[in-house]
C-alpha cells in the first residue's frame, strides 16, 4: 500500500480519509474482542447515549494484535520517519438512539501518569481516574490521530465534520470565529476504513439521525517524551512493518 497521498493530505489539510485498512473478517474479530471484554472499572463508561472504553489496550490487551495489522503498521511507518508510539486508545460506541452532537473544538488534552507543576503544561483535569493536561504546542502539532471505523459512517450517523487547514492556525479560542464554516468538510468513512487527523484540526459531529451505530476506535500516536517527571499514561511501542522483498 502507498499512503503518500494520505500523508500529504494530513500535513496540508489536517485530515485524510482512507478505505480498506481492515477486512470485514478483521472488523468482526475486533468487535467480538471488545464485546467479550470484562466491562467494569473506571475505564468503562456506559450510558444510553454512549459506551466508551478508555485505556483500551490496557483493558482489552487481546485487541493489540488485531488492531496492529500489517496495513496499520505500514501506514504509521509511512506517515512519519520518526519513531512514533501509541499514547491513547479509546473505543467509542455512539448507539442508534444517541441524540447528541459535539460542537467544533480542538483536541488539546493528553493523558498523563501524575499531576505536577511544569512550565508549558496547563489546564489540568482529573476525570475517570486519570489526569489530563494541555502540553506544549509542539506535542499537539506532532500528534497523529487515527480513527478506525467499525461501521460505515456518514453525515446521518455522526461522521466528523472538519475545517480544512485549521490545524495551521495554532490553538484557537472556543469563542473565536477564526474559521470559515463554508469550508466545512464531512468525513464519510467506509466500514474498515480510517480517518487520519491532526488534533489541532477543528472538528465536530452531528446527532445520529438514521438509527445506525457509529463505533470508532480512536488512536493517538506521538514521538515526544514529556518533561520529567511526567510520563504518558499510555505508551505502547509499534512493531516495524514487515516489508516483502518481492
Amino acid at each position: 500500500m502507498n499512503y503518500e497521498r494520505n500523508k500529504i493530505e494530513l500535513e496540508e489539510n489536517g485530515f485524510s480519509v482512507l478505505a480498506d485498512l481492515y477486512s470485514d473478517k478483521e472488523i468482526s474479530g475486533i468487535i467480538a474482542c471488545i464485546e467479550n471484554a470484562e466491562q467494569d472499572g473506571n475505564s468503562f463508561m456506559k450510558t444510553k447515549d454512549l459506551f466508551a472504553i478508555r485505556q483500551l489496550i490496557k483493558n482489552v490487551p487481546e485487541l493489540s494484535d488485531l488492531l496492529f495489522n500489517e496495513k496499520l503498521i505500514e501506514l504509521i511507518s509511512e506517515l512519519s520517519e520518526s519513531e512514533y508510539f501509541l499514547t491513547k486508545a479509546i473505543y467509542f460506541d455512539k448507539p442508534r438512539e444517541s441524540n447528541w452532537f459535539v460542537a467544533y473544538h480542538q483536541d488539546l488534552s493528553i493523558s498523563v501518569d501524575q499531576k505536577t507543576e511544569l512550565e508549558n503544561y496547563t489546564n489540568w483535569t482529573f476525570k475517570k481516574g486519570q489526569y489530563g493536561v494541555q502540553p506544549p504546542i509542539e506535542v499537539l502539532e506532532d500528534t497523529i490521530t487515527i480513527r478506525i471505523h467499525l461501521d460505515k459512517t456518514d453525515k446521518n450517523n455522526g461522521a466528523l465534520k472538519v475545517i480544512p487547514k485549521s490545524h495551521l492556525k495554532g490553538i484557537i479560542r472556543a469563542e473565536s470565529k477564526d474559521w470559515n464554516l463554508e469550508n466545512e468538510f464531512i468525513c464519510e468513512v467506509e466500514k474498515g476504513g480510517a480517518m487520519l487527523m491532526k488534533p489541532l484540526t477543528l472538528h465536530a459531529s452531528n446527532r445520529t439521525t438514521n438509527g445506525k451505530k457509529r463505533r470508532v476506535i480512536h488512536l493517538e500516536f506521538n514521538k515526544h517524551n514529556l518533561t520529567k517527571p511526567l510520563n504518558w499514561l499510555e505508551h505502547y511501542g509499534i512493531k516495524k512493518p514487515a516489508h516483502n522483498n518481492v
Side-chain angles (χ1 to χ4, degrees):
M1 295 289 289
N2 186 335
Y3 298 108
E4 186 64 27
R5 174 185 65 85
N6 303 106
K7 179 180 180 178
I8 293 169
E9 288 178 351
L10 182 63
E11 293 298 329
E12 292 184 356
N13 297 323
F15 70 98
S16 181
V17 174
L18 58 101
D20 301 323
L21 201 57
Y22 299 89
S23 66
D24 283 349
K25 183 179 179 182
E26 286 174 318
I27 292 294
S28 296
I30 290 168
I31 291 170
C33 187
I34 291 169
E35 289 177 345
N36 291 333
E38 290 289 329
Q39 295 175 10
D40 54 15
N42 268 344
S43 296
F44 293 81
M45 189 175 106
K46 200 159 193 175
T47 69
K48 67 180 176 62
D49 289 326
L50 176 71
F51 172 42
I53 307 174
R54 290 176 172 78
Q55 297 187 59
L56 183 61
I57 302 301
K58 176 184 174 184
N59 286 293
V60 192
E62 307 80 27
L63 263 181
S64 185
D65 286 342
L66 299 177
L67 288 176
F68 285 91
N69 67 359
E70 208 168 298
K71 287 184 178 179
L72 181 62
I73 294 168
E74 187 86 32
L75 171 63
I76 297 163
S77 171
E78 290 197 27
L79 288 177
S80 175
E81 294 168 3
S82 302
E83 288 282 328
Y84 267 69
F85 47 87
L86 180 67
T87 62
K88 185 178 287 187
I90 310 174
Y91 168 75
F92 290 111
D93 177 1
K94 199 172 187 181
R96 294 178 181 86
E97 62 274 16
S98 178
N99 201 29
W100 50 272
F101 74 100
V102 179
Y104 270 105
H105 66 286
Q106 297 170 301
D107 291 340
L108 300 178
S109 182
I110 62 170
S111 299
V112 293
D113 64 339
Q114 59 181 293
K115 182 177 181 180
T116 181
E117 294 303 319
L118 289 170
E119 192 177 359
N120 297 322
Y121 287 81
T122 60
N123 298 326
W124 286 90
T125 58
F126 185 70
K127 297 176 186 173
K128 302 288 179 185
Q130 60 187 53
Y131 289 104
V133 67
Q134 184 175 317
I137 191 165
E138 60 267 18
V139 174
L140 297 174
E141 288 172 339
D142 289 335
T143 297
I144 297 172
T145 299
I146 301 179
R147 293 168 57 89
I148 298 162
H149 283 251
L150 308 183
D151 302 288
K152 179 178 169 62
T153 308
D154 59 28
K155 63 182 181 182
N156 298 312
N157 66 329
L160 282 195
K161 305 182 295 182
V162 298
I163 306 297
K165 303 186 186 301
S166 53
H167 68 302
L168 302 174
K169 296 177 180 289
I171 293 170
I172 300 171
R173 296 192 315 277
E175 67 275 14
S176 167
K177 287 289 174 271
D178 188 22
W179 67 81
N180 185 355
L181 284 179
E182 290 174 15
N183 293 335
E184 180 180 273
F185 183 86
I186 298 173
C187 297
E188 301 197 336
V189 186
E190 294 295 325
K191 174 183 174 182
M195 177 193 173
L196 315 179
M197 189 175 70
K198 294 281 191 175
L200 294 179
T201 301
L202 282 161
H203 57 286
S205 66
N206 285 341
R207 295 179 173 87
T208 297
T209 58
N210 64 358
K212 292 183 178 177
K213 291 172 84 79
R214 188 206 72 178
R215 291 168 294 183
V216 171
I217 294 177
H218 174 108
L219 304 176
E220 292 180 16
F221 299 88
N222 211 289
K223 63 180 181 180
H224 291 279
N225 290 319
L226 304 177
T227 305
K228 292 299 178 193
L230 212 54
N231 292 298
W232 297 94
L233 180 64
E234 300 167 73
H235 188 304
Y236 297 94
I238 300 161
K239 292 182 292 188
K240 287 290 183 186
H243 290 289
N244 295 323
N245 298 318
V246 179

